Amino acid sequence: MATDPFRQLDVIRNASAIGKRVTDCYRLMFKRSLWIKAYAKLAPNSGNLTRGTDDQTIDGFSFKIIEELISKLRNGTFRFSPVRRVYIPKKNRKRRPLGVPNFKDKLVQEVMRMILESIYEPVFSENSHGFRPSRSCHTALTQIKHTWKGLKWCIEGDIKGCFDNICHKNLMAILGKKIDDRRFLLLIHNLLKCGYMEQWQYHKTYSGAPQGGIASPILANVYLHELDSFMENLIRTFDKGKVRLRNPEYKSIRYKLSQVMQNVRENDERYHSQEWQGREALVQEIKRLKKAQLKVSSIDPLDPTYRRMKYVRYADDFVIGIAGTKQEAATVKDRIKAFLDQTLSLELSNEKTLITHLENRVPFLGYRFFTWNDQKITRVQYRNHNKPVIKRTLSGAIKLEIPGQKMIDYVKKKGYGCLQKLTSKDKPALLNNSEVEILYTYNTELRGLANFYQLANNYHHLDRLFHVAQYSFMKTLAAKRRSTVGKVAKEMSSHLQGELCLLVGNKAGQKKPHKLVRLKHLPKKKTGQAGKPDVDIIPNVERYSSSTELERRLMANTCEACGTTVGQMEVHHVRKLKDIRRKKNKTKWDKVMIERQRKTLVLCYNCHHLHHEKQIPIDQLESRMT
């Protein structure tokens, strides 16, 4: 096997793709460069400054931490610490448990995740989109939009407490099918069994993958890959027929139309294209038959010789589209329920797993989708036709839309005002920020919403929301200036005609206008080809090979404050740069971070100790200075 760990990941990927079991996963974790890459992946996330069950965070990271973890793994003495359990609110007013691991455990899990990703990405289903590289909610919705044409029924899948009820025994058996490394499997087992601390009381874990862990999403995908494989086998047995049979009524109209058109052509040839008696009546009959033809389905939607099934999953949410009868959809639902119960020890919710006709709206991943009710008749030019063909392009196609209640709730949550009444109000929480920060806050919120709903067919409905947000911004600025909305609008629109903007100076002393974003500034993006997402879905392991700026600074082993190269360097982390800007008494290191626009600073131990005003625990002094 190659000595370069990133080449070894490629070898693992290629072996897994051809169905071989993977070995030497545990020994791969002894490679220092993998740990540096794992740290660089975790560093930008401010959540790593949140403490777990100990006082250590990502702040103060050094190569010594990596060496200690590798040494423990070599000796077999490494153990995962219990995670700190907190609860976050859900939309239904319930609370979801969330585990907060210690930073060192996160680092180990990230290395494990990189190895597991190389093993399982080549074999994961194309219908799975959650927690995978280059895949997202948009790729799942794009697949539905482009490949679900002509389906009639939809099964909305809901698994009760999926992540909390994953059976450890079943998961380890599934992992053992692809991984032939007892020590690596034991490490995963220890991760699942490490327990959690709630109100500083220890609790054992008997099932589930802790939500909030770095490796938990890919472990959940490995577990639910069994469902994906089951559905793909079910689809192969369910599908039958190449095309639907023609509708007899449509065939009858088309036959009459061809007869009348043939009659007109023959008489035109006989009379050399001159007017002849009865031609006008036949032309009117052709127009009538063409209109009647467009009102009748060309295929038999209830053709018993044609069946199709489609399946899309994002994490533990999945939808199944069926071209068949409702009874067949109910049978499929029962088979899925039995499989989950008998094979994966999971329960399918009868109350939330619904069978819906696709003429009705189906909620999925923040959108709603359904088949078009109207018909769009247009001319389509085919390569093998000399003339354009009139065709119903939206017949049975899937339409994605933004739920109206989602927009109402978003306006209420952000404090813009009331969308139903188109009334706006100011945001008092932003009054202490600068005008530019207020502008950037609104722009970030509106861009995020528009980008998420860029696939919607009713994308233009966001205009109402942007209108409310625009007046909310002007009212907030007016409250800050103790002025009126009219004066604010007049002053802001004086820089660029028809645009609300603020003048912001740069380092060169020049002032440039920064506009308040509007929907027309964010054109709706086109999706990819039919059945193909508009992103690269092939995982690229080579992305691990290039080093980031943070890695290069850390490898240089030079203190960015005093310039010394003696001893091991530590990385100082802050959650947000604006937290430093608000400090009254800034240290020289704070000023350096603000000037360089960095949330990290590579320091020697002495400088780091002084920066924290000598608050680093005494018991860590000797170990961190060596």
Side-chain angles (χ1 to χ4, degrees), residues 372-379 391-395:
W372 286 87
N373 294 323
D374 50 350
Q375 293 184 355
K376 183 179 179 181
I377 301 172
T378 185
R379 292 179 181 270
K391 186 178 179 181
R392 290 167 286 186
T393 57
L394 296 181
S395 179

Side-chain angles (χ1 to χ4, degrees), residues 250 253 257 284-297 375 377 390 392:
Y250 180 86
I253 296 174
L257 179 62
Q284 293 299 323
E285 179 67 9
I286 290 173
K287 291 181 179 179
R288 186 190 69 80
L289 289 173
K290 283 185 175 181
K291 287 182 180 180
Q293 186 182 28
L294 291 173
K295 293 179 181 179
V296 179
S297 175
Q375 293 184 355
I377 301 172
I390 297 177
R392 290 167 286 186

